[in-house]
Amino acid sequence: MSADLSRLSLNTATTKAWTLREAVDGAVRAGLPAIGLWRDRVQEAGLAEAAKIVADAGLRVSSLCRGGFLTADDDAAARAALDDNRRAIAEAATLGTRELIMVVGGLPGGVDLVGARRRVADRIGELAPSAAEHGVRLVLEPLHPMFVADRAVISTLGQALDIAEPFPADVVGVVVDTYHVWWDPDLQHQIARAGVAGRIAGYQVCDWVLPLAADALLSRGHVGDGYIDVPTITRWVAQAGYTGDVEVEIFNQAIWDTPGDETLATLTERYVGHVLPHL
């Protein structure tokens, strides 16, 4: 009897060397029903063509990555960021996903972390009406604290939920990415809190491997190769009521250099062994 892959999604970052069409074809060959798209691959294909490629293959789009980078402290840069996010919202709607992953941005210069977080909250408020109009949810992604300076001033699921709280759950949600939140001693409680509020909009899995790469962003590995207790986190997410897709998102040069079909075979095997039994 074959394993149930009905919730497994390939995030296109995992097969970075593949074009959008190659990633879609690879997902189909591997028996996956869904794909998580990055905007660079969509833009390479063209938005309309990207939507057609995915639809013709019969795949659903689990998420679009990414919007965000909302921390600019000058008016021109802030307006440009808001304009780009509104485009991303429209792109998500065209691609047929309601989940737009938001990497909120780091410090634009200086050390005003409190102010940067305040600007994120304010700008989510500015974007929320556009998201609601398009039927798209702004999905806040907390990143590991080592990325505060350059990528995300939100480091914990609790911080993300605090920003989301003033908005309807179908307009602003959160994503649980094992790589970024596994260290948090309050994680179980915050996952449960997100579940009660109906705000878990995505679940992304990979592992934390050592030694860290020179670029720490590239230190993700296949589930089961590192230090993250993915089965336990998966149980917490399932107990919180999440029934959506599980994306495998890996940034790792050695994995990028591996033939894509081999990568898909490995991630499917690890999903079946480490994730599926706990959903």
Side-chain angles (χ1 to χ4, degrees):
M1 182 177 178
S2 60
D4 179 5
L5 304 182
S6 62
R7 295 175 62 185
L8 179 55
S9 177
L10 170 67
N11 185 289
T12 58
T14 304
T15 51
K16 188 176 177 66
W18 273 353
T19 65
L20 175 63
R21 185 178 292 278
E22 288 170 336
V24 166
D25 290 347
V28 171
R29 285 195 300 274
L32 275 57
I35 192 163
L37 301 178
W38 273 70
R39 291 177 73 198
D40 57 350
R41 290 291 172 264
V42 171
Q43 289 163 0
E44 287 170 2
L47 178 59
E49 181 63 14
K52 184 177 186 301
I53 289 170
V54 176
D56 287 352
L59 299 181
R60 61 178 176 268
V61 180
S62 51
S63 72
L64 177 65
C65 195
R66 55 181 162 65
F69 287 83
L70 299 171
T71 55
D73 56 2
D74 69 271
D75 290 343
R79 284 195 301 272
L82 289 169
D83 288 345
D84 183 61
N85 277 276
R86 291 186 181 102
R87 285 192 293 273
I89 289 166
E91 289 167 13
T94 299
L95 292 164
T97 181
R98 60 170 288 104
E99 316 299 357
L100 175 62
I101 305 295
M102 304 290 286
V103 177
V104 299
L107 293 172
V111 294
D112 185 11
L113 181 56
V114 172
R117 287 176 175 150
R118 184 177 61 249
R119 289 191 293 275
V120 169
D122 290 345
R123 288 165 188 167
I124 290 296
E126 292 185 61
L127 293 170
S130 178
E133 178 184 351
H134 285 84
V136 169
R137 179 158 44 183
L138 306 175
V139 183
L140 303 178
E141 180 170 18
L143 268 58
H144 190 281
M146 65 182 169
F147 298 114
V148 166
D150 61 345
R151 284 188 170 84
V153 296
I154 298 174
S155 302
T156 68
L157 194 59
Q159 289 174 321
L161 288 168
D162 288 346
I163 291 175
E165 197 165 28
F167 307 98
D170 61 350
V171 176
V172 183
V174 297
V175 57
V176 178
D177 183 324
T178 57
Y179 182 76
H180 289 301
V181 300
W182 70 281
W183 59 274
D184 184 355
D186 201 32
L187 183 60
Q188 182 178 10
H189 169 71
Q190 295 300 334
I191 289 174
R193 174 188 170 195
V196 168
R199 292 194 188 273
I200 303 179
Y203 182 42
Q204 296 178 330
V205 297
C206 69
D207 219 326
W208 179 286
V209 295
L210 294 177
L212 292 178
D215 180 352
L217 188 68
L218 307 187
S219 295
R220 295 173 176 237
H222 282 290
V223 170
D225 283 351
Y227 294 85
I228 300 177
D229 186 354
V230 174
T232 294
I233 297 174
T234 300
R235 284 197 297 272
W236 292 344
V237 170
Q239 289 164 2
Y242 180 70
T243 58
D245 290 318
V246 179
E247 289 187 14
V248 178
E249 183 185 52
I250 302 174
F251 296 78
N252 182 301
Q253 190 62 54
I255 291 172
W256 289 343
D257 292 339
T258 300
D261 286 318
E262 183 178 329
T263 294
L264 275 162
T266 301
L267 71 82
T268 299
E269 174 194 357
R270 302 303 177 83
Y271 172 82
V272 170
H274 296 269
V275 178
L276 182 60
H278 309 285
L279 288 172

